[in-house]
Amino acid sequence: MKLALIQMAYSPDINSRIVQKIEEASKRADLIILQELHQSPYFCIVEDVRNFDYAQNYQRDLEFWSGVAKRYGVVLVTSLFEKRAEGLYHNTAVVFEKDGTIAGKYRKMHIPDDPAYYEKFYFTPGDLGFTPIDTSVGRLGVLICWDQWFPEPARLMAMAGAEILIYPTAIGFLEEEPIEEQKAQLERWITIQKSHAIANGIPVATANRIGFEKDPSGNFKGIKFWGNSFILNAKGEEIARASESDEVVIYGEVSREETREIRDIWPFFRDRRIDAYGDLLLRWRD
Amino acid sequence: MKLALIQMAYSPDINSRIVQKIEEASKRADLIILQELHQSPYFCIVEDVRNFDYAQNYQRDLEFWSGVAKRYGVVLVTSLFEKRAEGLYHNTAVVFEKDGTIAGKYRKMHIPDDPAYYEKFYFTPGDLGFTPIDTSVGRLGVLICWDQWFPEPARLMAMAGAEILIYPTAIGFLEEEPIEEQKAQLERWITIQKSHAIANGIPVATANRIGFEKDPSGNFKGIKFWGNSFILNAKGEEIARASESDEVVIYGEVSREETREIRDIWPFFRDRRIDAYGDLLLRWRD
């Protein structure tokens, strides 16, 4: 599976600039992954009903990206603001097949909400479960951003036969945070995703955005998205990683054979104590 | 909670040498953690019924370590070969209170079995579940070695109010393995355990053995136990780490307040999708 991740900063002309990168990437990869909510600024930085406007053309957005996937003959993982009904919206990854048809979609299941990431205001938690999406390049375990902090969705995708975990992402620093805290957050973010690869013997690909986006409320200066998009092999080793400030395409190749090799000698799935995991379905064991 | 980990190489006089280290550690810590199966060589390197002899004095072992805990006034996490009945043995961590009474025990739930680690021959998988042990220094999430590769036991212990995860461990390299593969294994071992701290906002303490132990079967040269015992804070940051070859005591201090702080701003427990985790209780989603 030859894949490419596109890491960009938001600008009003981002769609056409992403298409240029897809054209470039399509020469070396047949799976292309875009960052979270790549069409728009990260509007969740503030709670404002006017931002629901970004979802109003969801059907047209689908047609647009379908056309792009078909034009360049790639499997394309997009991340869109889905309007499902009036007053009902999702943060949704839509995967397009090389012929432009929709291979499947994933509605973000874990929704964050913390200062400058007010996602619970905008997105209803997903109701499609943790179901991989079958494509011509393989079975994709598509998840989104906040999901990446939880071992459960990674495990569930792997158990459903996903050949790779894919995380469109929008995460960054608040400028107010001390540099050491920024570094520590980035380190934790890399570590937790490496652990999904290690625990499940599965590659991981995460496309994050870059650039500074101002907080229009003035509560904070804004978010500096930390980039560092990466691809890990099935052992959790980095095979590609972007900088924190460049608009780039990064490439990697992963294989089912690698997953087989690592799982045969580190056979965690052989030994899971499913007879003793029942309480994982509780909120808390009290 | 002031804790100490004791990292040792096996020798026939190891018990008395461990007691010396406990005496030293008891001056600075009130929780002391020993490595896996610290009384004996790592006998699982080969399948041999004679090795069940190491479990025949389990009751006397309990009395011995009870006496040590009482003498030095510490909470002591031991790792013993438990004989439960003829032909029924467990890999069991027994925790002693400062007065020498047994605070609780944990029987290793996930049992490995791969070349030179033939544990399924010796140990029946635990039947006490993932239940933390209450002590005068706090609620301890005691797990053992192979458990450390699984996100589920870490999650379950955290959800049951454990204040720290503790892993007595015996892991090392086969000398036959290339140096890069050895480094990669060590890296994965650190990473997966950091991820338990990060995912759960909980400190982690892992005591591993050092030293070379010969494979009596001659199938392999033997195992070089890789040491690197460590303590992580609730953010997954190393606050102490031993070398790969020194017999040492390492110290750290962790607090419930740190757990509270990190969980309040990174509130993963708030957002777990327990309505969608049911398939975690399956062997595979096919």
Side-chain angles (χ1 to χ4, degrees), chain A residues 110 120 130 271 277 285, chain B residues 110 120 130 271 277 285:
Chain A
H110 299 91
K120 288 191 195 294
F130 301 103
D271 291 337
Y277 288 172
R285 301 174 77 193
Chain B
H110 299 91
K120 289 191 195 294
F130 301 103
D271 292 336
Y277 289 171
R285 300 173 77 194

Side-chain angles (χ1 to χ4, degrees), chain B residues 199-251:
Chain B
N200 299 292
I202 191 171
V204 175
T206 295
N208 191 25
R209 69 170 67 197
I210 58 164
F212 178 76
E213 299 187 26
K214 201 164 171 283
D215 176 0
S217 76
N219 283 339
F220 301 98
K221 290 179 192 159
I223 302 175
K224 185 179 176 308
F225 291 93
W226 69 47
N228 278 282
S229 301
F230 60 81
I231 304 170
L232 308 175
N233 68 16
K235 295 177 176 179
E237 295 160 347
E238 286 178 22
I239 55 178
R241 181 154 161 190
S243 78
E244 69 169 42
S245 53
D246 294 315
E247 292 200 331
V248 285
V249 185
I250 61 169
Y251 298 91

Side-chain angles (χ1 to χ4, degrees), chain A:
Chain A
M1 196 186 295
K2 290 182 180 178
L3 62 148
L5 276 60
I6 297 177
Q7 170 175 296
M8 304 287 280
Y10 174 73
S11 66
D13 64 343
I14 191 159
N15 272 7
S16 63
R17 294 195 307 111
I18 289 176
V19 172
Q20 284 171 17
K21 294 280 190 200
I22 290 175
E23 180 173 13
E24 172 191 334
S26 68
K27 292 166 188 157
R28 293 175 54 188
D30 47 14
L31 168 63
I32 298 178
I33 299 161
L34 304 182
Q35 66 209 25
E36 188 181 15
L37 300 169
H38 48 80
Q39 297 194 142
S40 66
Y42 182 71
F43 53 82
C44 316
I45 199 167
V46 68
E47 296 193 6
D48 186 333
V49 289
R50 288 174 298 184
N51 287 332
F52 288 110
D53 288 351
Y54 288 114
Q56 299 309 318
N57 297 316
Y58 176 62
Q59 291 305 324
R60 217 164 63 194
D61 297 340
L62 291 179
E63 286 164 30
F64 178 81
W65 295 107
S66 161
V68 173
K70 185 173 177 181
R71 187 173 337 139
Y72 297 106
V74 292
V75 172
L76 182 64
V77 179
T78 64
S79 170
L80 303 174
F81 189 13
E82 175 187 5
K83 180 175 178 179
R84 191 171 177 188
E86 305 300 331
L88 180 59
Y89 303 86
H90 294 286
N91 184 328
T92 302
V94 181
V95 179
F96 297 93
E97 207 20 283
K98 292 175 177 177
D99 63 2
T101 56
I102 292 178
K105 61 186 173 180
Y106 167 77
R107 292 186 177 128
K108 190 173 185 176
M109 291 285 282
H110 299 91
I111 307 294
D113 199 284
D114 51 280
Y117 295 83
Y118 302 103
E119 295 198 19
K120 288 191 195 294
F121 177 72
Y122 294 103
F123 309 126
T124 290
D127 57 354
L128 297 176
F130 301 103
T131 311
I133 295 170
D134 281 316
T135 73
S136 58
V137 298
R139 184 171 286 191
L140 311 182
V142 178
L143 297 161
I144 302 173
C145 202
W146 191 236
D147 294 322
Q148 65 208 173
W149 296 96
F150 297 78
E152 291 91 348
R155 186 66 110 196
L156 286 164
M157 285 294 192
M159 286 171 60
E163 293 165 57
I164 183 171
L165 300 177
I166 293 172
Y167 296 95
T169 297
I171 192 168
F173 312 115
L174 290 177
E175 287 224 319
E176 289 81 352
E177 291 170 313
I179 291 287
E180 298 119 60
E181 174 56 21
Q182 295 185 7
K183 280 187 190 164
Q185 287 178 15
L186 175 59
E187 191 60 36
R188 290 203 291 276
W189 180 75
I190 298 279
T191 300
I192 193 82
Q193 292 174 91
K194 284 189 175 176
S195 83
H196 303 326
I198 295 166
N200 299 291
I202 191 171
V204 176
T206 296
N208 190 25
R209 71 169 67 198
I210 57 164
F212 178 76
E213 298 186 26
K214 200 163 172 283
D215 176 359
S217 76
N219 282 339
F220 301 98
K221 289 180 195 158
I223 303 175
K224 184 178 176 310
F225 291 94
W226 71 46
N228 278 280
S229 300
F230 60 82
I231 304 171
L232 309 176
N233 67 16
K235 295 177 175 178
E237 295 160 348
E238 287 178 21
I239 56 177
R241 181 154 160 190
S243 78
E244 69 169 41
S245 53
D246 294 316
E247 291 200 332
V248 284
V249 185
I250 62 169
Y251 298 91
E253 186 164 2
V254 299
S255 77
R256 198 188 288 231
E257 192 49 39
E258 262 182 2
T259 287
R260 196 211 136 175
E261 278 172 23
I262 190 74
R263 284 192 192 158
D264 280 354
I265 190 62
W266 292 88
F268 307 132
F269 288 107
R270 181 191 65 189
D271 291 337
R272 294 177 71 241
R273 289 297 304 271
I274 54 175
D275 60 306
Y277 288 172
D279 285 359
L280 290 172
L281 308 188
L282 299 180
R283 180 62 63 208
W284 195 250
R285 301 174 77 193
D286 47 15

